[in-house]
């Protein structure tokens, strides 16, 4: 099975050129090619793939490129928080994907990390201006709060999330895949915090891509935003 290449693939394929074997250009599609009519994303953890299969895929296609692109002197962050804004909060999409992100992050610290103080916390987002304005309260939980800017926003931010000892995720596949790889590198599955909420497009709004060994945050009101 292959997926149709779009403009969004360009940066990812530069970082992971081996993935090109799973991608097809539109001009190479022929009428006789069999097409998947199920409209299925095949993302259900434990159903469409096992942890063993996931780690095998990471080992074969991803991990070498990650390690080669991380600077040798670059120590992992103590905690990285990935905040998905962008199209999730534009054009009415917040009614589908949105939740109170500030309240959620506060909740994670106050309830699940109440005794923690981090040497450093890095924020990675597709809207760093919003994060700089809204997340300054995190300074009380760390000696160093940073909002790094990236030369290549997609790949550099992806690597930054991967390269962390602990993670707080968003309801985004960008977050999940960074966490999968980070878990493989640092064995930090139990130091990964993820909202249970995914989308209001489906009757059951719970995420289905999550590793069951993550800290799945379900004790927060995701309908208040």
């Amino acid at each position: 099975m292959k997926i149709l290449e779009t403009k969004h693939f360009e940066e990812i394929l530069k970082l992971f050129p081996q993935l090109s074997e799973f991608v097809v250009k539109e001009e190479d599609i022929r009428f006789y090619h069999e097409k998947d009519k199920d409209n299925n994303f095949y993302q259900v953890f434990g159903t469409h793939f096992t942890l063993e299969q996931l780690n095998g895929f990471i080992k074969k296609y991803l991990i070498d490129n990650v390690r080669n692109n991380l600077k040798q002197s670059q120590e992992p962050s103590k905690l990285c928080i990935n905040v998905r804004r962008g199209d999730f909060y534009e054009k009415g999409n917040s009614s589908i994907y949105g939740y109170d992100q500030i309240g959620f992050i506060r909740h994670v610290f106050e309830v699940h990390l109440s005794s923690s103080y981090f040497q450093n916390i890095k924020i990675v987002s597709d809207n760093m201006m919003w994060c700089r304005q809204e997340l300054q309260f995190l300074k009380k939980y760390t000696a160093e709060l940073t909002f790094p800017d990236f030369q290549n926003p997609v790949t550099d931010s992806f690597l930054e999330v991967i390269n962390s000892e602990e993670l707080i995720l968003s309801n985004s596949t960008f977050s999940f895949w960074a966490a999968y790889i980070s878990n493989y590198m640092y064995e930090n599955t139990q130091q990964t915090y993820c909202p249970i909420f995914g989308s209001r497009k489906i009757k059951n709004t719970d995420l289905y891509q999550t590793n069951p060994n993550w800290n799945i945050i379900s004790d927060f009101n995701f309908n208040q935003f």
Side-chain angles (χ1 to χ4, degrees):
M1 180 181 291
K2 294 192 175 187
I3 56 177
L4 179 65
E5 181 178 348
T6 70
K7 62 180 181 180
H8 303 293
F9 283 38
E10 184 176 353
E11 291 302 315
I12 292 298
L13 289 177
K14 286 180 182 177
L15 180 60
F16 302 115
Q18 296 94 324
L19 295 183
S20 59
E21 72 175 81
F22 301 106
V23 176
V24 60
K25 296 180 182 295
E26 186 173 6
E27 60 265 28
D28 294 330
I29 297 175
R30 300 293 180 264
F31 74 91
Y32 51 80
H33 287 160
E34 185 177 356
K35 298 175 180 64
D36 184 355
K37 299 177 182 178
D38 293 338
N39 195 28
N40 196 322
F41 293 115
Y42 301 102
Q43 293 182 359
V44 182
F45 197 110
T47 299
H48 293 137
F49 60 92
T50 65
L51 179 60
E52 182 179 9
Q53 289 171 328
L54 174 63
N55 285 338
F57 182 86
I58 292 170
K59 181 179 180 180
K60 183 175 182 179
Y61 293 100
L62 308 178
I63 197 63
D64 287 344
N65 298 83
V66 169
R67 287 175 172 150
N68 289 340
N69 281 275
L70 287 173
K71 297 175 182 177
Q72 292 184 352
S73 59
Q74 189 174 348
E75 292 292 323
S77 307
K78 295 303 178 183
L79 172 67
C80 182
I81 304 174
N82 183 215
V83 180
R84 171 70 180 269
R85 297 292 297 174
D87 57 337
F88 274 21
Y89 291 84
E90 296 172 355
K91 301 176 183 177
N93 287 336
S94 59
S95 63
I96 301 172
Y97 303 106
Y99 58 93
D100 178 6
Q101 292 179 306
I102 301 169
F104 172 73
I105 294 170
R106 285 188 184 274
H107 176 81
V108 173
F109 277 90
E110 292 172 0
V111 177
H112 299 273
L113 294 171
S114 58
S115 60
S116 298
Y117 186 83
F118 295 91
Q119 181 181 340
N120 57 67
I121 296 176
K122 286 187 179 179
I123 310 297
V124 173
S125 177
D126 53 359
N127 189 339
M128 295 299 283
M129 182 181 296
W130 183 91
C131 291
R132 289 186 183 98
Q133 292 173 346
E134 303 294 343
L135 301 181
Q136 293 295 327
F137 69 89
L138 291 171
K139 287 180 177 178
K140 70 188 214 179
Y141 299 105
T142 181
E144 182 184 7
L145 177 65
T146 58
F147 302 85
D149 292 313
F150 301 107
Q151 184 176 357
N152 300 299
V154 175
T155 54
D156 289 352
S157 58
F158 190 63
L159 290 168
E160 193 71 64
V161 180
I162 291 170
N163 194 35
S164 183
E165 295 177 3
E166 297 196 38
L167 298 166
I168 298 177
L169 309 180
S170 290
N171 55 336
S172 164
T173 51
F174 181 95
S175 268
F176 310 148
W177 273 100
Y180 296 154
I181 301 171
S182 184
N183 293 168
Y184 182 91
M185 286 183 65
Y186 296 118
E187 298 182 352
N188 57 0
T189 302
Q190 295 183 348
Q191 288 76 47
T192 301
Y193 298 82
C194 183
I196 195 171
F197 171 74
S199 166
R200 297 180 186 88
K201 270 189 173 181
I202 52 180
K203 186 175 181 180
N204 179 1
T205 62
D206 293 358
L207 289 170
Y208 45 79
Q209 302 96 330
T210 54
N211 184 326
N213 292 314
W214 289 349
N215 291 285
I216 308 299
I217 309 301
S218 58
D219 56 349
F220 178 76
N221 182 6
F222 290 97
N223 290 319
Q224 193 170 7
F225 64 96

